[in-house]
Amino acid sequence: MNDHYLKKIDRVTAILTQLQSKPLVRAQDLAEKFEVSIRTIYRDVKTLENAGIPIIGEAGNGYSLMDGYKLPPVMFTKEEVLSFITAEKLMQKFLHQSLGNHYQTAMEKVRSVLKYSDKDLIQNIEKQIDVFNYHPRTEDHIRNIIPIILESIAEKKQLQVEYKTVEEKISSRTIEVVGVFFEFNYWYVMAFCTLRNDFRQFRVDRILGIFKTQHPFLQEYGQINDYRQNPSGNKTKVRLLVDKKIIGHLVNSKKYYGLTEEIETENGIELTFETDWIKEGFPRWLITFADYADVLEPESLKISLKELITRISNKL
């Protein structure tokens, strides 16, 4: 069997896997994924149909498997099994607790279809892999909170939440969730807040109560990164000139505080930010390296920084 037919067998098998995992698969997407022509994808789909796989759809519209059709358990390669073990170790340390039991159940199903030799492989190597996480997990007030949030996204239904701010103030909000994301050891919800009539981020561990309503979303939303990358009108532009010798210590934090541009100059590194934490969060972060930085703009940040330093000095 020559290399051409081996590649085709691998590709056709992968297309079948795509059909199993998605409700609709477009030929154009498959062609881009496997770096072949759309005509080749059409022929591969015809090969599957000739093999007795009941595929619904046609060229131009997308393909799907007939509803209710069951396929034999998927068999995994040794490399895939090893990747599962590594991923499981990562999930044990970083997966949100409300998803932990569901992930564990899913992994048990994966293990159930493995060959005996692969099960022995897992038993022999899983204790040789570990992930060290030095950040304590946050405690949620509500069990299964992220599945509730994800259900609201899938069903496009509004959520009613009780939320505690960093100032310990509690408010009731009606939100339309765009998505969830993990950053700096916390899970966040990106949502449209009907109270503020704007997009807001909510830290999951600060949600004290949550209720899925039957009210549909009032508008359509794009992908979560569209809203994280495009600042709202409430953000303030900040420019700093930072000493080169300290810049290496700001690798992660500068992105967290809204870094949009970084330019190397003769006098240092010029950093530009878009932040909505100009009154509290940004000055408190800046004070940790203020002796190595100059505030280029805005003038109000210099005033906030001086006031913060004065308050600290009065306590010493």
Side-chain angles (χ1 to χ4, degrees):
M1 186 177 294
N2 61 35
D3 186 59
H4 169 75
Y5 287 108
L6 286 174
K7 287 182 178 179
K8 179 174 182 177
I9 290 172
D10 290 340
R11 190 175 60 249
V12 169
T13 303
I15 290 173
L16 183 56
T17 300
Q18 291 286 307
L19 289 168
Q20 288 179 260
S21 60
K22 297 181 180 179
L24 189 70
V25 179
R26 296 193 313 155
Q28 181 179 349
D29 295 336
L30 292 172
E32 292 175 359
K33 179 178 178 63
F34 300 112
E35 298 180 347
V36 295
S37 67
I38 294 181
R39 281 183 160 284
T40 298
I41 298 298
Y42 292 159
R43 289 194 292 267
D44 290 341
V45 171
K46 190 65 177 177
T47 298
L48 288 170
E49 289 176 332
N50 292 337
I53 306 298
I55 298 175
I56 300 172
E58 56 185 22
N61 295 325
Y63 301 102
S64 62
L65 288 177
M66 181 182 293
D67 190 32
Y69 178 72
K70 302 296 182 182
L71 289 167
V74 176
M75 301 308 294
F76 300 104
T77 66
K78 186 175 294 184
E79 291 77 13
E80 290 168 340
V81 172
L82 291 172
S83 71
F84 285 145
I85 301 171
T86 307
E88 186 175 15
K89 293 292 182 178
L90 284 167
M91 292 300 99
Q92 288 171 355
K93 295 296 171 72
F94 293 102
L95 188 67
H96 191 271
Q97 59 185 5
S98 66
L99 297 173
N101 292 336
H102 303 291
Y103 182 82
Q104 185 176 1
T105 302
M107 281 302 301
E108 288 172 355
K109 292 180 179 178
V110 170
R111 290 169 186 258
S112 70
V113 301
L114 296 176
K115 296 181 295 184
Y116 281 108
S117 58
D118 291 334
K119 291 177 182 177
D120 291 339
L121 176 66
I122 288 180
Q123 188 173 9
N124 292 334
I125 202 171
E126 63 182 348
K127 293 182 180 180
Q128 310 307 122
I129 303 173
D130 204 350
V131 176
F132 298 102
N133 179 20
Y134 297 101
H135 298 284
R137 285 198 177 197
T138 57
E139 294 296 327
D140 296 324
H141 299 273
I142 304 159
R143 184 173 177 172
N144 286 332
I145 184 169
I146 285 193
I148 294 172
I149 294 169
L150 295 178
E151 284 178 12
S152 79
I153 299 173
E155 298 173 8
K156 297 185 178 181
K157 295 291 178 64
Q158 292 180 343
L159 288 176
Q160 187 77 30
V161 299
E162 296 290 324
Y163 189 73
K164 181 174 67 174
T165 67
V166 67
E167 296 87 10
E168 301 293 321
K169 295 179 180 179
I170 299 175
S171 64
S172 179
R173 309 286 187 94
T174 299
I175 61 174
E176 298 179 358
V177 181
V178 176
V180 297
F181 64 94
F182 182 82
E183 189 173 52
F184 296 100
N185 210 51
Y186 292 105
W187 281 92
Y188 292 87
V189 173
M190 174 66 72
F192 180 82
C193 176
T194 59
L195 177 65
R196 305 301 184 194
N197 196 33
D198 200 359
F199 294 94
R200 290 288 189 271
Q201 292 180 188
F202 300 91
R203 229 172 74 178
V204 169
D205 62 303
R206 290 184 182 154
I207 297 177
L208 305 180
I210 188 167
F211 172 72
K212 187 175 67 176
T213 74
Q214 294 304 310
H215 302 298
F217 285 2
L218 301 177
Q219 56 186 313
E220 292 288 332
Y221 301 104
Q223 299 178 4
I224 184 171
N225 286 338
D226 297 337
Y227 301 90
R228 296 194 63 215
Q229 293 170 354
N230 298 329
S232 67
N234 298 323
K235 294 185 181 291
T236 302
K237 182 179 179 181
V238 175
R239 289 172 56 238
L240 304 177
L241 185 64
V242 180
D243 195 312
K244 294 180 182 179
K245 63 184 176 184
I246 196 68
I247 201 71
H249 298 282
L250 309 177
V251 173
N252 293 320
S253 59
K254 64 187 178 183
K255 295 180 181 178
Y256 180 72
Y257 284 94
L259 180 72
T260 59
E261 190 176 34
E262 182 172 335
I263 301 174
E264 184 172 351
T265 69
E266 292 182 0
N267 300 320
I269 308 296
E270 186 176 315
L271 304 178
T272 302
F273 301 84
E274 292 281 352
T275 180
D276 50 12
W277 298 332
I278 191 65
K279 293 183 179 180
E280 282 289 335
F282 201 95
R284 291 184 182 278
W285 172 64
L286 176 56
I287 203 172
T288 62
F289 61 97
D291 52 334
Y292 291 99
D294 294 319
V295 178
L296 303 180
E297 66 170 290
E299 192 67 25
S300 61
L301 179 57
K302 296 181 181 180
I303 297 172
S304 297
L305 193 61
K306 290 177 181 178
E307 291 175 349
L308 181 57
I309 292 172
T310 301
R311 291 200 301 270
I312 295 172
S313 298
N314 291 337
K315 290 187 175 182
L316 297 177

